[in-house]
């Protein structure tokens, strides 16, 4: 089976740093993705990790530990527009290609 | 613009009706998907097609029937709509071959409300 866990909600202050954690237990592993979804909009791709370590992309970084089944998304210099849901997703199988999603973490950035 | 586009954006209908949602992508991808996002925002895979061939068919009622006339289109037809079908349905596409890092690109969703 596939199980992906994330906190349901988080709150942070504008200008601060926030870390959103994701743990997964899946039948296979061929990459972990982070998506951002604003209310009423489509999910948009943020980052991809397949090897252990940190991937940095501007204000956003994503970390992966395959042995621990763990990832986090780090958002720096938070802006009000970062208020959104953040979805962790795993591609268990390259053949099927579909992503299995966690239920998402709703981040509220406060002034 | 290059994108995944789906229509309609909103769909309100009564129980028992039959409805269709259309999806088209001009990204040159050869794999397309339908996902359902429920009220708790959980995105769940329903179907996946690769080059018009069905490769994923999750536990979805037979009332749901996908159709892919070509690799750029994946439509979803729903028969005998039920209240529990109310959700947002997202179409997505990705590169089917090559490395595993091809992300899914999502359409803007179709909010289906069954009354």
């Amino acid at each position: 089976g596939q199980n992906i866990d994330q906190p349901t909600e988080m709150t942070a202050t504008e200008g601060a740093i926030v870390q959103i954690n994701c743990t997964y237990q899946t039948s296979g592993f061929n990459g972990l993705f982070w998506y951002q979804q604003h209310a009423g909009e489509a999910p948009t791709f943020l980052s991809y990790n397949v090897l252990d370590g940190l991937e940095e992309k501007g204000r956003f970084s994503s970390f992966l530990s395959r042995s621990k089944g763990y990832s986090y998304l780090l958002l720096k210099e938070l802006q009000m527009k970062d208020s959104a849901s953040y979805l962790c997703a795993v591609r268990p199988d390259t053949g099927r290609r579909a992503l299995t999603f966690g239920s998402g973490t709703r981040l509220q950035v406060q002034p | 613009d290059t994108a995944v586009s789906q229509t309609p954006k909103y769909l309100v209908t009564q129980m028992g009706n039959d409805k269709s949602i259309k999806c088209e992508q001009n990204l040159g991808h050869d794999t397309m998907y339908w996902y359902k996002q429920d009220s708790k925002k959980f995105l769940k895979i329903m179907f996946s097609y690769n080059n018009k061939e069905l490769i994923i068919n999750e536990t979805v009622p037979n009332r749901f029937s996908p159709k892919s006339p070509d690799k750029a289109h994946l439509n979803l037809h729903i028969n005998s709509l039920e209240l529990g079908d109310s959700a947002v349905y997202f179409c997505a596409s990705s590169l089917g071959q090559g490395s595993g890092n091809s992300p899914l690109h999502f359409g803007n969703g179709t909010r289906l409300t069954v009354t």
Side-chain angles (χ1 to χ4, degrees):
Chain A
Q2 326 289 3
N3 192 37
I4 300 175
D5 288 318
Q6 317 176 221
T8 304
E9 290 186 3
M10 298 183 72
T11 302
T13 304
E14 194 176 11
I17 299 173
V18 71
Q19 178 174 313
I20 302 174
N21 296 325
C22 170
T23 57
Y24 64 90
Q25 292 174 307
T26 52
S27 54
F29 182 82
N30 283 284
L32 186 142
F33 297 75
W34 283 95
Y35 279 79
Q36 180 191 60
Q37 186 177 24
H38 285 100
E41 297 184 9
T44 55
F45 169 68
L46 287 178
S47 69
Y48 168 78
N49 295 72
V50 69
L51 299 177
D52 290 353
L54 189 68
E55 294 284 340
E56 296 187 76
K57 196 187 285 188
R59 294 190 298 115
F60 293 2
S61 303
S62 56
F63 172 83
L64 175 67
S65 168
R66 288 171 298 171
S67 62
K68 295 181 179 177
Y70 168 70
S71 172
Y72 67 72
L73 180 69
L74 194 70
L75 291 76
K76 303 176 188 175
E77 301 170 15
L78 279 172
Q79 301 176 7
M80 298 298 289
K81 68 178 182 179
D82 297 330
S83 293
S85 289
Y86 291 86
L87 311 176
C88 174
V90 171
R91 174 169 279 147
D93 179 348
T94 51
R96 282 160 49 94
R97 214 150 293 280
L99 301 184
T100 299
F101 283 84
S103 57
T105 299
R106 190 163 63 219
L107 173 67
Q108 182 68 41
V109 179
Q110 296 178 338
Chain B
D1 288 344
T2 55
V4 180
S5 57
Q6 55 183 108
T7 56
K9 187 171 175 63
Y10 300 98
L11 186 53
V12 181
T13 189
Q14 292 184 326
M15 284 175 56
N17 285 347
D18 303 339
K19 290 294 178 185
S20 292
I21 307 172
K22 295 186 176 181
C23 179
E24 175 183 4
Q25 56 92 7
N26 60 2
L27 296 164
H29 292 165
D30 51 7
T31 305
M32 295 185 72
Y33 313 80
W34 278 109
Y35 277 82
K36 179 180 179 180
Q37 189 169 44
D38 60 24
S39 58
K40 295 183 179 178
K41 307 303 180 190
F42 185 54
L43 265 171
K44 190 175 167 81
I45 181 72
M46 300 174 69
F47 301 103
S48 175
Y49 272 73
N50 179 258
N51 278 321
K52 303 193 296 177
E53 181 182 345
L54 180 66
I55 56 173
I56 296 177
N57 183 352
E58 292 296 302
T59 309
V60 177
N62 290 338
R63 300 182 293 103
F64 290 80
S65 53
K67 283 196 170 46
S68 182
D70 55 60
K71 73 175 191 178
H73 295 83
L74 180 61
N75 303 323
L76 183 65
H77 188 76
I78 316 171
N79 289 328
S80 304
L81 278 157
E82 299 178 358
L83 291 177
D85 297 333
S86 295
V88 181
Y89 292 84
F90 284 100
C91 177
S93 71
S94 72
L95 281 173
Q97 301 299 323
S99 63
N101 67 345
S102 53
L104 269 59
H105 295 256
F106 286 87
N108 285 329
T110 296
R111 182 174 293 278
L112 172 64
T113 304
V114 182
T115 62

Short mmCIF file of all heavy atoms in Angstrom, two decimals, chain A residues 1-58:
data_model
loop_
_atom_site.label_atom_id
_atom_site.label_comp_id
_atom_site.label_asym_id
_atom_site.label_seq_id
_atom_site.Cartn_x
_atom_site.Cartn_y
_atom_site.Cartn_z
N GLY A 1 0.82 -1.20 0.00
CA GLY A 1 0.00 0.00 0.00
C GLY A 1 0.85 1.25 0.00
O GLY A 1 2.07 1.20 0.09
N GLN A 2 0.19 2.38 -0.14
CA GLN A 2 0.89 3.66 -0.17
C GLN A 2 0.39 4.51 0.99
O GLN A 2 -0.81 4.62 1.21
CB GLN A 2 0.61 4.39 -1.50
CG GLN A 2 0.44 3.51 -2.72
CD GLN A 2 1.74 2.88 -3.17
OE1 GLN A 2 2.77 3.06 -2.56
NE2 GLN A 2 1.69 2.12 -4.25
N ASN A 3 1.30 5.11 1.72
CA ASN A 3 0.93 5.97 2.83
C ASN A 3 1.87 7.17 2.85
O ASN A 3 3.09 6.99 2.95
CB ASN A 3 1.01 5.20 4.15
CG ASN A 3 0.36 5.96 5.27
OD1 ASN A 3 -0.65 6.62 5.07
ND2 ASN A 3 0.95 5.89 6.45
N ILE A 4 1.29 8.36 2.75
CA ILE A 4 2.08 9.59 2.76
C ILE A 4 1.47 10.51 3.79
O ILE A 4 0.29 10.82 3.72
CB ILE A 4 2.10 10.26 1.37
CG1 ILE A 4 2.72 9.30 0.34
CG2 ILE A 4 2.88 11.56 1.42
CD1 ILE A 4 2.67 9.81 -1.09
N ASP A 5 2.28 10.94 4.77
CA ASP A 5 1.79 11.76 5.87
C ASP A 5 2.43 13.14 5.89
O ASP A 5 3.64 13.26 5.72
CB ASP A 5 2.07 11.08 7.22
CG ASP A 5 1.18 9.87 7.43
OD1 ASP A 5 -0.02 9.97 7.11
OD2 ASP A 5 1.69 8.84 7.90
N GLN A 6 1.59 14.13 6.10
CA GLN A 6 2.04 15.51 6.26
C GLN A 6 1.18 16.15 7.33
O GLN A 6 0.04 15.74 7.54
CB GLN A 6 1.83 16.34 4.99
CG GLN A 6 2.17 15.75 3.68
CD GLN A 6 1.81 16.67 2.53
OE1 GLN A 6 1.31 16.23 1.51
NE2 GLN A 6 2.08 17.97 2.65
N PRO A 7 1.71 17.21 7.99
CA PRO A 7 0.84 17.94 8.93
C PRO A 7 -0.30 18.59 8.16
O PRO A 7 -0.15 18.98 7.00
CB PRO A 7 1.77 18.99 9.54
CG PRO A 7 2.92 19.09 8.61
CD PRO A 7 3.06 17.77 7.94
N THR A 8 -1.44 18.71 8.81
CA THR A 8 -2.61 19.26 8.13
C THR A 8 -2.51 20.76 7.92
O THR A 8 -2.81 21.27 6.84
CB THR A 8 -3.87 18.94 8.95
OG1 THR A 8 -3.96 17.54 9.15
CG2 THR A 8 -5.13 19.42 8.22
N GLU A 9 -2.06 21.46 8.96
CA GLU A 9 -1.99 22.91 8.89
C GLU A 9 -0.74 23.43 9.58
O GLU A 9 -0.26 22.82 10.53
CB GLU A 9 -3.21 23.55 9.58
CG GLU A 9 -4.52 23.34 8.86
CD GLU A 9 -5.66 24.11 9.49
OE1 GLU A 9 -5.41 24.85 10.46
OE2 GLU A 9 -6.79 23.96 9.03
N MET A 10 -0.23 24.56 9.07
CA MET A 10 0.88 25.26 9.72
C MET A 10 0.65 26.75 9.56
O MET A 10 0.05 27.19 8.59
CB MET A 10 2.23 24.86 9.09
CG MET A 10 2.58 23.39 9.23
SD MET A 10 4.19 22.97 8.56
CE MET A 10 5.27 23.72 9.77
N THR A 11 1.19 27.50 10.53
CA THR A 11 1.12 28.95 10.48
C THR A 11 2.51 29.50 10.66
O THR A 11 3.28 28.98 11.48
CB THR A 11 0.19 29.48 11.58
OG1 THR A 11 -1.10 28.90 11.44
CG2 THR A 11 0.06 30.99 11.47
N ALA A 12 2.86 30.53 9.90
CA ALA A 12 4.18 31.14 10.02
C ALA A 12 4.05 32.63 9.75
O ALA A 12 3.02 33.11 9.26
CB ALA A 12 5.16 30.50 9.04
N THR A 13 5.11 33.35 10.06
CA THR A 13 5.10 34.81 9.95
C THR A 13 5.85 35.25 8.69
O THR A 13 6.87 34.64 8.32
CB THR A 13 5.75 35.44 11.18
OG1 THR A 13 5.07 34.96 12.35
CG2 THR A 13 5.64 36.96 11.15
N GLU A 14 5.37 36.28 8.08
CA GLU A 14 6.01 36.85 6.90
C GLU A 14 7.49 37.13 7.20
O GLU A 14 7.84 37.67 8.26
CB GLU A 14 5.30 38.16 6.54
CG GLU A 14 5.62 38.70 5.17
CD GLU A 14 4.80 39.94 4.85
OE1 GLU A 14 4.14 40.48 5.77
OE2 GLU A 14 4.81 40.37 3.69
N GLY A 15 8.36 36.73 6.27
CA GLY A 15 9.79 36.94 6.43
C GLY A 15 10.51 35.80 7.13
O GLY A 15 11.74 35.72 7.10
N ALA A 16 9.77 34.91 7.76
CA ALA A 16 10.36 33.80 8.50
C ALA A 16 10.68 32.62 7.58
O ALA A 16 10.52 32.70 6.35
CB ALA A 16 9.41 33.37 9.61
N ILE A 17 11.15 31.53 8.22
CA ILE A 17 11.44 30.27 7.51
C ILE A 17 10.48 29.21 8.06
O ILE A 17 10.22 29.17 9.26
CB ILE A 17 12.89 29.81 7.76
CG1 ILE A 17 13.88 30.85 7.25
CG2 ILE A 17 13.16 28.46 7.11
CD1 ILE A 17 15.33 30.54 7.62
N VAL A 18 9.96 28.37 7.18
CA VAL A 18 9.08 27.29 7.64
C VAL A 18 9.50 25.99 6.96
O VAL A 18 9.95 25.99 5.81
CB VAL A 18 7.60 27.60 7.35
CG1 VAL A 18 7.30 27.54 5.86
CG2 VAL A 18 6.69 26.64 8.09
N GLN A 19 9.41 24.90 7.72
CA GLN A 19 9.75 23.57 7.19
C GLN A 19 8.51 22.69 7.24
O GLN A 19 7.91 22.52 8.30
CB GLN A 19 10.86 22.95 8.04
CG GLN A 19 11.25 21.54 7.62
CD GLN A 19 12.44 21.01 8.40
OE1 GLN A 19 13.46 21.69 8.57
NE2 GLN A 19 12.34 19.79 8.89
N ILE A 20 8.15 22.13 6.11
CA ILE A 20 6.99 21.25 6.02
C ILE A 20 7.49 19.83 5.81
O ILE A 20 8.19 19.55 4.83
CB ILE A 20 6.06 21.66 4.86
CG1 ILE A 20 5.60 23.10 5.03
CG2 ILE A 20 4.86 20.72 4.78
CD1 ILE A 20 4.80 23.65 3.86
N ASN A 21 7.17 18.95 6.73
CA ASN A 21 7.67 17.58 6.69
C ASN A 21 6.72 16.63 5.98
O ASN A 21 5.50 16.85 5.95
CB ASN A 21 7.90 17.07 8.11
CG ASN A 21 8.99 17.85 8.83
OD1 ASN A 21 9.96 18.27 8.22
ND2 ASN A 21 8.81 18.04 10.13
N CYS A 22 7.31 15.57 5.44
CA CYS A 22 6.53 14.54 4.75
C CYS A 22 7.20 13.20 5.01
O CYS A 22 8.41 13.07 4.82
CB CYS A 22 6.48 14.83 3.26
SG CYS A 22 5.81 13.51 2.23
N THR A 23 6.44 12.23 5.47
CA THR A 23 6.97 10.87 5.60
C THR A 23 6.16 9.96 4.69
O THR A 23 4.96 10.17 4.50
CB THR A 23 6.91 10.35 7.04
OG1 THR A 23 5.54 10.42 7.50
CG2 THR A 23 7.78 11.18 7.97
N TYR A 24 6.83 8.96 4.15
CA TYR A 24 6.13 8.10 3.20
C TYR A 24 6.50 6.64 3.40
O TYR A 24 7.61 6.32 3.82
CB TYR A 24 6.43 8.53 1.75
CG TYR A 24 7.88 8.39 1.34
CD1 TYR A 24 8.36 7.23 0.78
CD2 TYR A 24 8.77 9.46 1.53
CE1 TYR A 24 9.70 7.10 0.42
CE2 TYR A 24 10.11 9.33 1.17
CZ TYR A 24 10.57 8.15 0.61
OH TYR A 24 11.90 8.03 0.26
N GLN A 25 5.53 5.79 3.11
CA GLN A 25 5.75 4.34 3.05
C GLN A 25 5.03 3.89 1.80
O GLN A 25 3.79 3.88 1.74
CB GLN A 25 5.14 3.64 4.28
CG GLN A 25 5.84 3.94 5.57
CD GLN A 25 5.09 3.33 6.76
OE1 GLN A 25 3.90 3.55 6.93
NE2 GLN A 25 5.78 2.57 7.58
N THR A 26 5.82 3.56 0.76
CA THR A 26 5.21 3.19 -0.51
C THR A 26 5.80 1.88 -1.00
O THR A 26 6.89 1.47 -0.56
CB THR A 26 5.45 4.28 -1.57
OG1 THR A 26 6.84 4.60 -1.64
CG2 THR A 26 4.68 5.56 -1.21
N SER A 27 5.12 1.25 -1.92
CA SER A 27 5.52 -0.07 -2.42
C SER A 27 6.81 0.02 -3.23
O SER A 27 7.51 -0.97 -3.40
CB SER A 27 4.40 -0.68 -3.25
OG SER A 27 4.01 0.20 -4.28
N GLY A 28 7.11 1.19 -3.76
CA GLY A 28 8.34 1.41 -4.51
C GLY A 28 8.68 2.89 -4.41
O GLY A 28 7.90 3.69 -3.85
N PHE A 29 9.82 3.27 -4.92
CA PHE A 29 10.19 4.69 -4.88
C PHE A 29 10.97 5.05 -6.13
O PHE A 29 12.04 4.49 -6.39
CB PHE A 29 11.01 5.00 -3.63
CG PHE A 29 11.37 6.47 -3.53
CD1 PHE A 29 10.46 7.37 -3.02
CD2 PHE A 29 12.59 6.94 -4.00
CE1 PHE A 29 10.76 8.72 -2.94
CE2 PHE A 29 12.90 8.28 -3.93
CZ PHE A 29 11.99 9.18 -3.40
N ASN A 30 10.41 6.00 -6.87
CA ASN A 30 11.11 6.52 -8.04
C ASN A 30 11.01 8.04 -8.09
O ASN A 30 10.84 8.61 -9.16
CB ASN A 30 10.55 5.88 -9.32
CG ASN A 30 11.06 4.47 -9.51
OD1 ASN A 30 12.21 4.26 -9.89
ND2 ASN A 30 10.23 3.51 -9.20
N GLY A 31 11.08 8.66 -6.93
CA GLY A 31 11.11 10.12 -6.90
C GLY A 31 10.03 10.70 -6.01
O GLY A 31 8.96 10.13 -5.83
N LEU A 32 10.34 11.85 -5.42
CA LEU A 32 9.41 12.56 -4.56
C LEU A 32 9.25 13.99 -5.08
O LEU A 32 10.23 14.63 -5.43
CB LEU A 32 9.90 12.57 -3.11
CG LEU A 32 8.93 13.16 -2.07
CD1 LEU A 32 9.00 12.37 -0.77
CD2 LEU A 32 9.17 14.63 -1.85
N PHE A 33 8.03 14.44 -5.15
CA PHE A 33 7.70 15.74 -5.71
C PHE A 33 7.00 16.60 -4.65
O PHE A 33 6.26 16.08 -3.82
CB PHE A 33 6.73 15.59 -6.90
CG PHE A 33 7.29 14.82 -8.07
CD1 PHE A 33 7.41 13.44 -8.01
CD2 PHE A 33 7.69 15.47 -9.22
CE1 PHE A 33 7.92 12.72 -9.09
CE2 PHE A 33 8.19 14.76 -10.30
CZ PHE A 33 8.31 13.39 -10.24
N TRP A 34 7.22 17.90 -4.74
CA TRP A 34 6.44 18.86 -3.95
C TRP A 34 5.68 19.76 -4.92
O TRP A 34 6.23 20.24 -5.92
CB TRP A 34 7.35 19.71 -3.06
CG TRP A 34 7.82 19.00 -1.84
CD1 TRP A 34 9.00 18.33 -1.69
CD2 TRP A 34 7.14 18.89 -0.58
NE1 TRP A 34 9.09 17.82 -0.41
CE2 TRP A 34 7.96 18.14 0.29
CE3 TRP A 34 5.91 19.36 -0.11
CZ2 TRP A 34 7.61 17.84 1.60
CZ3 TRP A 34 5.55 19.07 1.20
CH2 TRP A 34 6.39 18.32 2.04
N TYR A 35 4.41 19.97 -4.58
CA TYR A 35 3.54 20.84 -5.37
C TYR A 35 2.96 21.92 -4.45
O TYR A 35 2.75 21.70 -3.25
CB TYR A 35 2.38 20.05 -5.98
CG TYR A 35 2.73 19.30 -7.23
CD1 TYR A 35 3.41 18.09 -7.17
CD2 TYR A 35 2.38 19.81 -8.48
CE1 TYR A 35 3.74 17.40 -8.34
CE2 TYR A 35 2.70 19.11 -9.65
CZ TYR A 35 3.38 17.92 -9.56
OH TYR A 35 3.69 17.24 -10.71
N GLN A 36 2.68 23.07 -5.06
CA GLN A 36 1.98 24.15 -4.36
C GLN A 36 0.59 24.28 -4.98
O GLN A 36 0.44 24.22 -6.21
CB GLN A 36 2.74 25.47 -4.53
CG GLN A 36 2.10 26.67 -3.85
CD GLN A 36 2.76 27.99 -4.27
OE1 GLN A 36 2.78 28.34 -5.45
NE2 GLN A 36 3.32 28.70 -3.31
N GLN A 37 -0.42 24.43 -4.12
CA GLN A 37 -1.78 24.61 -4.64
C GLN A 37 -2.46 25.75 -3.90
O GLN A 37 -2.76 25.63 -2.70
CB GLN A 37 -2.60 23.33 -4.51
CG GLN A 37 -3.98 23.43 -5.17
CD GLN A 37 -4.78 22.15 -5.10
OE1 GLN A 37 -4.56 21.31 -4.23
NE2 GLN A 37 -5.71 21.98 -6.03
N HIS A 38 -2.71 26.85 -4.61
CA HIS A 38 -3.51 27.92 -4.04
C HIS A 38 -4.98 27.54 -4.12
O HIS A 38 -5.39 26.75 -4.99
CB HIS A 38 -3.26 29.24 -4.78
CG HIS A 38 -1.96 29.88 -4.43
ND1 HIS A 38 -0.83 29.78 -5.23
CD2 HIS A 38 -1.58 30.61 -3.37
CE1 HIS A 38 0.17 30.43 -4.66
NE2 HIS A 38 -0.25 30.94 -3.53
N ALA A 39 -5.77 28.10 -3.21
CA ALA A 39 -7.19 27.76 -3.13
C ALA A 39 -7.88 27.98 -4.46
O ALA A 39 -7.74 29.04 -5.08
CB ALA A 39 -7.86 28.60 -2.05
N GLY A 40 -8.58 26.97 -4.94
CA GLY A 40 -9.34 27.08 -6.17
C GLY A 40 -8.51 26.99 -7.44
O GLY A 40 -9.03 27.23 -8.53
N GLU A 41 -7.22 26.65 -7.29
CA GLU A 41 -6.35 26.58 -8.46
C GLU A 41 -5.75 25.20 -8.62
O GLU A 41 -5.92 24.31 -7.77
CB GLU A 41 -5.25 27.64 -8.35
CG GLU A 41 -5.78 29.06 -8.33
CD GLU A 41 -4.66 30.10 -8.31
OE1 GLU A 41 -3.48 29.72 -8.48
OE2 GLU A 41 -4.98 31.28 -8.09
N ALA A 42 -5.02 25.01 -9.72
CA ALA A 42 -4.36 23.73 -9.98
C ALA A 42 -3.08 23.61 -9.17
O ALA A 42 -2.42 24.61 -8.87
CB ALA A 42 -4.04 23.61 -11.47
N PRO A 43 -2.67 22.40 -8.81
CA PRO A 43 -1.35 22.20 -8.21
C PRO A 43 -0.27 22.57 -9.22
O PRO A 43 -0.39 22.26 -10.42
CB PRO A 43 -1.31 20.70 -7.90
CG PRO A 43 -2.73 20.25 -7.93
CD PRO A 43 -3.42 21.13 -8.91
N THR A 44 0.78 23.23 -8.74
CA THR A 44 1.91 23.57 -9.61
C THR A 44 3.18 22.97 -9.04
O THR A 44 3.39 22.98 -7.83
CB THR A 44 2.08 25.08 -9.79
OG1 THR A 44 2.19 25.68 -8.50
CG2 THR A 44 0.91 25.69 -10.51
N PHE A 45 4.02 22.47 -9.91
CA PHE A 45 5.24 21.75 -9.54
C PHE A 45 6.25 22.70 -8.89
O PHE A 45 6.52 23.79 -9.40
CB PHE A 45 5.82 21.11 -10.79
CG PHE A 45 7.21 20.55 -10.62
CD1 PHE A 45 7.43 19.44 -9.83
CD2 PHE A 45 8.28 21.13 -11.26
CE1 PHE A 45 8.70 18.91 -9.68
CE2 PHE A 45 9.56 20.61 -11.13
CZ PHE A 45 9.77 19.50 -10.33
N LEU A 46 6.82 22.26 -7.75
CA LEU A 46 7.85 23.05 -7.07
C LEU A 46 9.22 22.38 -7.17
O LEU A 46 10.21 23.05 -7.49
CB LEU A 46 7.50 23.21 -5.58
CG LEU A 46 6.37 24.15 -5.21
CD1 LEU A 46 6.17 24.13 -3.70
CD2 LEU A 46 6.66 25.57 -5.69
N SER A 47 9.29 21.09 -6.79
CA SER A 47 10.61 20.47 -6.71
C SER A 47 10.52 18.96 -6.85
O SER A 47 9.45 18.37 -6.69
CB SER A 47 11.27 20.80 -5.37
OG SER A 47 10.59 20.15 -4.32
N TYR A 48 11.68 18.37 -7.12
CA TYR A 48 11.80 16.93 -7.32
C TYR A 48 13.07 16.44 -6.65
O TYR A 48 14.14 17.06 -6.78
CB TYR A 48 11.85 16.62 -8.82
CG TYR A 48 12.25 15.22 -9.17
CD1 TYR A 48 11.33 14.18 -9.07
CD2 TYR A 48 13.53 14.92 -9.63
CE1 TYR A 48 11.68 12.89 -9.41
CE2 TYR A 48 13.89 13.63 -9.98
CZ TYR A 48 12.96 12.62 -9.87
OH TYR A 48 13.30 11.33 -10.21
N ASN A 49 12.97 15.34 -5.89
CA ASN A 49 14.14 14.69 -5.30
C ASN A 49 14.07 13.19 -5.61
O ASN A 49 13.00 12.59 -5.45
CB ASN A 49 14.16 14.84 -3.78
CG ASN A 49 14.32 16.28 -3.32
OD1 ASN A 49 13.39 17.06 -3.45
ND2 ASN A 49 15.48 16.61 -2.78
N VAL A 50 15.18 12.64 -6.04
CA VAL A 50 15.25 11.18 -6.18
C VAL A 50 16.46 10.61 -5.43
O VAL A 50 16.45 9.47 -5.02
CB VAL A 50 15.25 10.76 -7.67
CG1 VAL A 50 16.54 11.17 -8.35
CG2 VAL A 50 14.98 9.28 -7.82
N LEU A 51 17.48 11.45 -5.25
CA LEU A 51 18.65 11.04 -4.47
C LEU A 51 18.63 11.76 -3.12
O LEU A 51 18.03 12.83 -2.98
CB LEU A 51 19.93 11.40 -5.22
CG LEU A 51 20.10 10.73 -6.60
CD1 LEU A 51 21.38 11.23 -7.27
CD2 LEU A 51 20.13 9.21 -6.46
N ASP A 52 19.29 11.17 -2.13
CA ASP A 52 19.36 11.79 -0.81
C ASP A 52 20.05 13.15 -0.90
O ASP A 52 21.01 13.33 -1.65
CB ASP A 52 20.15 10.89 0.15
CG ASP A 52 19.39 9.63 0.51
OD1 ASP A 52 18.22 9.51 0.13
OD2 ASP A 52 19.99 8.75 1.16
N GLY A 53 19.55 14.08 -0.10
CA GLY A 53 20.20 15.37 -0.03
C GLY A 53 19.24 16.51 -0.28
O GLY A 53 18.02 16.33 -0.31
N LEU A 54 19.83 17.67 -0.41
CA LEU A 54 19.07 18.91 -0.51
C LEU A 54 19.10 19.45 -1.93
O LEU A 54 20.16 19.52 -2.55
CB LEU A 54 19.69 19.95 0.46
CG LEU A 54 18.93 21.24 0.69
CD1 LEU A 54 17.63 20.96 1.46
CD2 LEU A 54 19.79 22.22 1.46
N GLU A 55 17.94 19.82 -2.43
CA GLU A 55 17.83 20.49 -3.72
C GLU A 55 17.34 21.91 -3.45
O GLU A 55 16.29 22.09 -2.82
CB GLU A 55 16.82 19.78 -4.63
CG GLU A 55 17.23 18.38 -5.07
CD GLU A 55 18.28 18.40 -6.15
OE1 GLU A 55 18.43 19.45 -6.82
OE2 GLU A 55 18.97 17.37 -6.33
N GLU A 56 18.09 22.91 -3.94
CA GLU A 56 17.71 24.30 -3.68
C GLU A 56 17.26 24.98 -4.95
O GLU A 56 17.89 24.82 -6.01
CB GLU A 56 18.90 25.05 -3.07
CG GLU A 56 19.30 24.49 -1.71
CD GLU A 56 20.36 25.33 -1.01
OE1 GLU A 56 20.01 26.40 -0.48
OE2 GLU A 56 21.52 24.92 -1.02
N LYS A 57 16.18 25.73 -4.82
CA LYS A 57 15.65 26.44 -5.97
C LYS A 57 15.09 27.76 -5.46
O LYS A 57 13.92 27.85 -5.07
CB LYS A 57 14.55 25.60 -6.63
CG LYS A 57 14.19 26.03 -8.04
CD LYS A 57 12.97 25.27 -8.57
CE LYS A 57 13.31 23.86 -8.97
NZ LYS A 57 12.15 23.21 -9.66
N GLY A 58 15.93 28.78 -5.45
CA GLY A 58 15.49 30.09 -4.98
C GLY A 58 15.14 30.06 -3.50
O GLY A 58 15.92 29.57 -2.68
#
